[in-house]
Every structure is written in C-alpha cells, then in structure tokens.
Amino acid sequence: MSLNSVTVGQLNLYIKSLLEGDPKLSYISIVGEISNYKAHFASGHIYFTLKDDTAALKCVMFRGNAARLRFVPKDGMKVVCSGRVSVYERDGVYQLYAENMVPDGEGDLMARLEEIKKKLLAEGLFDEARKRPIPKFPKKVAVITSETGAAVRDIFNVLSRRYPLCDILLCPATVQGSDAPKSLISALDKVYKTDADVIIIGRGGGSIEDLWCFNDEDLARKISASPIPVISAVGHETDFTICDFVADLRAPTPSAAAELAVPDARLLYDNVLRTGRNLKITLTEKIAVREKNLSLINGSLIFSSPEGSIIAKRSLSVDRLADRICSQFDKTITKKETEFLNKVSLIEALSPMKTLMRGFAAAEKQGKTVSSVGQLSVGDDIKLRLADGSADCIIQNLTEEK
C-alpha cells in the first residue's frame, strides 16, 4: 500500500466526518414521500426511502424515535422527516438518520386512492349486500394475472392439488404500469364471455406504485359489474386495493385465493365416508332401541294370555323384517361406497395431471389447449406443460398424421 492510498473503510470514515461536521446537515428537515417502508419487529427500527419527482434518499429511524411516532407510516404518505445526514460506513451509503417524522398530507397517490374510495363507497360499490357467494363446486376457474409471475404458478399448483376436477382458464394480462388497467379490463371482457364459474384476479406483492393499476376506477367498475363471482388477490396480506373492496371476496395472497376458490377433494371424500358410517351407526342404534322395547312388551303380563301367542308370532315376523332391513341397508351402503370409490378412481384416472405423469405433455397456445395440428403454424410460440413444470417452445415443422 502506497503512502497516499487509503482503505475503503478509511475513506468512508473520512466522508462521514465531513458530513457530520457540516452544521447544515447536523439537523435538517426533508419533505418527501415514503416508499419501501419496512419495520423490523425484533429490533424496533424502521427503514424507508424518501423520494420526490427527481431523487430518492435512504432513511432509518431507530427504535427509541420510532416508538414516539403518533401515526403509522405507510408507503405513499408525504411526510417531513428531521434528523442528521451521515454515512453508513459498511455500505458506503449516505442516509438520513431520522429523529422525528410528521405527516405532510397523505401523498399524491394516497390522496387519489382516498378520493376513489370515497366516490365508489358513496355509490354503494363496496356494500356487502351486493357481494355474491363463491360457488362451492366450480367446474371452471378463470385466472387473470401475469403469465410469467410467481402468482400464476402458485394458483395453478394449489388448484390442481386441491380440486383436480375443475378446469383452469388462464387469461394473461399486464399487472403493472400505465397499460395494466386496460389489459386487465380486456381480460375480464374475454372471461365474461366464457362459462367460468369464478374469477381470480391479482398479482404478487410490490410497492404501492407496483400495485396501483388495481386502484383504477374503470377496472373497479368492470369488476363490480361482473356476471361471475370475483376473488381479488392482490399483493400480500397487508396490501389493500380498490379491487379488494369491489370484488365478491378478498384473498390475502394469490395462493389463498386458489384455496378459497375450490374445495379440498380429499376432505370431501373423507366427509362422504364419515357420513355413511355415521348413518349406519345411527340406524343400527335405533333398531336396537326398537328391539329392546319390543322385548319388554313381549315380557309383559298382557302377552301371557292365549292371544299373546298370536302377537308373539307377529313379533317374530317383525324380527325377521328388521333383520332383512338391516341386511338390505348394509348391502345398499356397501354398493354406494363401491360406486363412489369407482367414480373417484375414474376421475383420478381422467385427471390431466395423471396423464402428464405417464410421460405425456399438454400443448398450450396463448393460454388455450392445442388439440389439433391445424391450430398451429410454423414459428408459433407454444408452452408444453409436463408433470413437473413447463417449457416454452417454437414450432419449426408440422406433420399431420393421416
């Protein structure tokens, strides 16, 4: 190391001393909009970024100062932060060490959000009375989200695992940016023309800017006018958008939306078997009670008379009839259980996932299943779905079997 050279740590320490030695930076108030807000529950510290139209500044507020806040900071809020500017030596990043924070309005985005919420609330679009129940046993679930995000994989995995009896219709859409609202509205228009029983619309988590398209007023009105029940699944559990309020059901995550959309086939199967067993036990107990009462009657004095022999014969007939009823009931229950198990086996055999697990693949073009060579052209982009994933392919040659 030459005489004039310094280490990275020495340089960062020197810059830190310069910043902290500037009286203008020892305590300064900065106006900006909060983004990337994160609170660490273990340490109590909060981390966020202050931004305006041209720049951004990293900020940290330690536990003692954060505990004195009189409001809960959120992304999109416009605030005034006061504190000192210094350097975090390890990363070489200068940041504001905030000691105090007060609201300075709700921020442009939050103000727009509140304006839309108040308008639609006044029109009754959020009323619980207009929300419809989700079908218990849907035959087709339509999914509106990005075809490349993690959300679509999570939704498909949960739906296929929980309820393989239903079909899944993917209608891809842009879920971020200025073009997203029109893309989502177009996807809804397409789904409204199908025989789908329920719609899942949403995306994974992100900042308020990333999720803003789901606060679009036109999109909210399109969802509220849906002829099909809609489940909104936007972001994480703590994220709320206008779509959540107008949809028939709000899910905290895309995976949770898939669980709310369909029942668990394994639980349904167990419930049928349990109901059959309980029915058999109940009828058996009732027959036992009747037999006991009949025995008590047979033993009474009234049956010791000559006429009692006639009644005794009748009681034998009743016993035989009861045995026949029990036997027939056992046969019926056994027959129904066998029929049910055969249908379950047939359904499982016809499951697309079973077919894929035998080495077959399903071809999709623009989200729709390809069943004929006539639907394809050289150069088309297709997706091959396999048992454990999918592959994007390009058609190079077509051969029609005759």
Side-chain angles (χ1 to χ4, degrees), residues 238-252:
T238 55
D239 298 319
F240 282 89
T241 64
I242 296 296
C243 285
D244 295 327
F245 297 113
V246 297
D248 296 287
L249 182 64
R250 184 250 177 186

Side-chain angles (χ1 to χ4, degrees), residues 62-78:
F62 294 129
R63 179 176 182 176
N65 295 320
R68 292 194 295 270
L69 291 177
R70 298 181 180 180
F71 68 104
V72 179
K74 296 180 181 179
D75 285 344
M77 293 182 67
K78 196 172 184 180

Side-chain angles (χ1 to χ4, degrees), residues 310-326:
I310 299 176
I311 298 177
K313 292 179 180 179
R314 296 297 184 187
S315 67
L316 291 176
S317 299
V318 170
D319 290 340
R320 295 190 186 97
L321 181 59
D323 291 339
R324 289 174 58 190
I325 292 174
C326 290

Side-chain angles (χ1 to χ4, degrees), residues 93-352:
V93 175
Y94 91 95
Q95 58 187 5
L96 175 69
Y97 289 82
E99 299 174 8
N100 188 31
M101 183 193 307
V102 294
D104 186 27
E106 293 293 330
D108 293 339
L109 289 179
M110 297 301 295
R112 287 170 56 193
L113 176 61
E114 288 302 317
E115 181 181 351
I116 297 173
K117 283 177 61 177
K118 290 178 182 178
K119 182 178 181 180
L120 299 184
L121 178 64
E123 294 181 21
L125 268 63
F126 299 169
D127 292 350
E128 290 296 325
R130 57 165 295 278
K131 298 182 184 295
R132 295 158 296 183
I134 305 303
K136 292 184 178 181
F137 307 103
K139 296 180 181 179
K140 179 177 291 186
V141 177
V143 180
I144 300 177
T145 187
S146 170
E147 61 180 340
T148 60
V152 68
R153 295 195 298 271
D154 293 341
I155 292 173
F156 269 69
N157 288 338
V158 174
L159 291 177
S160 300
R161 171 176 53 81
R162 282 177 63 88
Y163 199 61
L165 301 179
C166 79
D167 294 327
I168 306 173
L169 172 63
L170 174 62
C171 194
T174 303
V175 294
Q176 184 173 331
S178 58
D179 296 332
K182 291 183 179 179
S183 178
L184 291 166
I185 290 173
S186 176
L188 284 168
D189 282 331
K190 293 177 183 178
V191 173
Y192 291 169
K193 298 176 183 178
T194 70
D195 58 347
D197 299 299
V198 63
I199 300 172
I200 297 176
I201 183 171
R203 55 156 287 165
S207 65
I208 186 173
E209 293 88 350
D210 296 336
L211 307 180
W212 186 253
C213 61
F214 291 94
N215 292 317
D216 183 79
E217 182 178 344
D218 292 336
L219 176 61
R221 294 186 183 280
K222 176 63 68 172
I223 292 176
S224 68
S226 172
I228 304 170
V230 178
I231 301 176
S232 175
V234 182
H236 301 304
E237 188 170 358
T238 55
D239 298 319
F240 282 89
T241 64
I242 296 296
C243 285
D244 295 327
F245 297 113
V246 297
D248 296 287
L249 182 64
R250 184 250 177 186
T253 62
S255 297
E259 293 184 357
L260 293 171
V262 297
D264 191 331
R266 291 172 297 182
L267 293 179
L268 292 177
Y269 175 74
D270 292 341
N271 287 338
V272 170
L273 293 182
R274 182 167 55 254
T275 301
R277 289 193 296 267
N278 291 340
L279 181 60
K280 182 177 181 179
I281 291 172
T282 300
L283 290 179
T284 302
E285 291 176 347
K286 288 185 176 181
I287 292 173
V289 170
R290 298 295 189 274
E291 289 179 341
K292 182 178 180 181
N293 292 338
L294 186 59
S295 298
L296 293 175
I297 293 173
N298 283 335
S300 63
L301 292 176
I302 192 173
F303 289 101
S304 60
S305 62
E307 294 81 1
S309 60
I310 299 176
I311 298 177
K313 292 179 180 179
R314 296 297 184 187
S315 67
L316 291 176
S317 299
V318 170
D319 290 340
R320 295 190 186 97
L321 181 59
D323 291 339
R324 289 174 58 190
I325 292 174
C326 290
S327 176
Q328 187 62 38
F329 179 75
D330 289 340
K331 291 179 181 179
T332 302
I333 289 295
T334 302
K335 180 181 178 182
K336 294 299 182 181
E337 287 180 349
T338 302
E339 291 176 354
F340 180 78
L341 293 175
N342 289 339
K343 289 181 179 179
V344 170
S345 299
L346 179 58
I347 291 172
E348 291 181 347
L350 295 176
S351 171

